[in-house]
Amino acid sequence: EVQLVESGGGLVQPGRSLKLSCLASGFTFSNYGMNWIRQAPGKGLEWVASISSSSSYIYYADTVKGRFTISRDNAKNTLYLQMTSLRSEDTALYYCARGTGSSGFAYWGQGTLVTVSS
Amino acid sequence: DIQMTQSPSSLPASLGDRVTITCRASQDIGNYLRWFQQKPGKSPRLMIYGATNLAAGVPSRFSGSRSGSDYSLTISSLESEDMADYYCLQSKESPFTFGSGTKLEIK
C-alpha cells in the first residue's frame, strides 16, 4: 500500500525557517518524481515545488522561489521541503504527492500544518 | 505562466442532476490536465488524468472531456457522496497551476 506521511509542521515566527519531511512507503521511491502542494486555510490548492526521481529536475512556484528548497534522499525514502524567510502568507497545510507523469498526483499524504505568526 | 480559469466557483445542484465544471487554459496544455475531488478535512483525490482518463476506483458517472482550450469534468447523475470541492490542475509546464476550485453543493 502506498503511503506518504508528512511531518515537521508547526508554529513559526515570520522570517524563521522550517523543514518539512515526507516519508514514503509501499513503492520504489527512487522511481518517482515528487511534489509539494499547499492549501491555506479555507482556500484552494497551490502547487509549490516538484523534483524528479534523481533530483536532476527541480521546479518551484514563483511565490516560493529563492526561499524554499525541495530535496530528496532516495536511500531514506524521504522528500523534504526546506522553507526559509517564512511569511504569514505561507501559512497552509502542506501536502506531498507522488509523481508527475501519467500516474502522477494519484497518491497524497494527509498534510502537515505550517502556521507563520508572531 | 499558464492560467487555469475554472467555473463556476459554486454549483448548487440536485441529486440525479447532470453537472459540468469547466477549466479554460490560457495556453496550450495538450491533455496535461487532471481533476481532483476534495472533501472537508480530507486530502485531494485524483479523479481524471490526461484530460479524459478515469483514475482507478473512480465511479463511471464521472467523465472528462476537452474542446480546444476548455476542459470539462462531468458527473452524469449526481449522488450525495459527490458533494465536494473540485479542482483542475495543468501539468504541461512549470509552474503547474490549479484552477480556483468549484464547490458542488446540494440545492
Side-chain angles (χ1 to χ4, degrees):
Chain A
E1 178 193 6
V2 173
Q3 284 199 327
L4 299 168
V5 179
E6 302 94 338
S7 61
L11 175 63
V12 60
Q13 293 179 327
R16 304 298 290 265
S17 300
L18 201 63
K19 187 173 186 176
L20 307 183
S21 299
C22 170
L23 178 62
S25 61
F27 66 101
T28 304
F29 182 69
S30 59
N31 286 351
Y32 290 86
M34 296 293 295
N35 310 276
W36 286 102
I37 301 100
R38 67 184 181 183
Q39 187 169 35
K43 302 297 184 183
L45 299 168
E46 180 187 15
W47 171 81
V48 173
S50 294
I51 185 169
S52 63
S53 57
S54 61
S55 304
S56 297
Y57 300 97
I58 289 175
Y59 306 101
Y60 296 99
D62 292 341
T63 51
V64 307
K65 198 175 295 182
R67 299 188 300 121
F68 290 11
T69 302
I70 188 173
S71 63
R72 62 190 297 160
D73 186 334
N74 286 344
K76 294 183 177 180
N77 290 343
T78 303
L79 174 73
Y80 301 102
L81 187 68
Q82 176 70 56
M83 304 184 294
T84 63
S85 302
L86 282 162
R87 307 166 179 167
S88 58
E89 53 264 37
D90 296 319
T91 293
L93 187 62
Y94 284 75
Y95 296 101
C96 63
R98 190 186 84 170
T100 54
S102 58
S103 65
F105 296 95
Y107 296 96
W108 294 60
Q110 82 291 346
T112 187
L113 182 62
V114 173
T115 303
V116 184
S117 175
S118 55
Chain B
D1 296 357
I2 297 174
Q3 308 302 318
M4 300 301 298
T5 303
Q6 186 170 344
S7 61
S9 57
S10 176
L11 183 52
S14 301
L15 299 182
D17 282 355
R18 179 183 181 90
V19 299
T20 297
I21 300 167
T22 298
C23 276
R24 174 167 291 176
S26 63
Q27 301 174 37
D28 175 52
I29 61 169
N31 285 334
Y32 289 88
L33 192 284
R34 292 177 170 86
W35 289 98
F36 298 89
Q37 177 193 69
Q38 188 180 33
K39 296 183 178 181
K42 299 295 187 181
S43 302
R45 175 191 180 189
L46 179 67
M47 306 300 281
I48 299 287
Y49 66 95
T52 61
N53 300 293
L54 210 61
V58 175
S60 58
R61 62 182 179 273
F62 288 86
S63 63
S65 63
R66 173 189 177 186
S67 176
S69 60
D70 289 341
Y71 298 81
S72 297
L73 173 71
T74 297
I75 308 172
S76 60
S77 181
L78 201 59
E79 298 193 7
S80 57
E81 65 186 38
D82 302 333
M83 300 307 169
D85 295 332
Y86 291 84
Y87 298 91
C88 63
L89 168 70
Q90 73 79 19
S91 56
K92 174 68 164 60
E93 64 181 46
S94 174
F96 297 166
T97 41
F98 284 92
S100 55
T102 295
K103 178 175 287 295
L104 187 52
E105 48 199 4
I106 293 181
K107 188 185 294 183

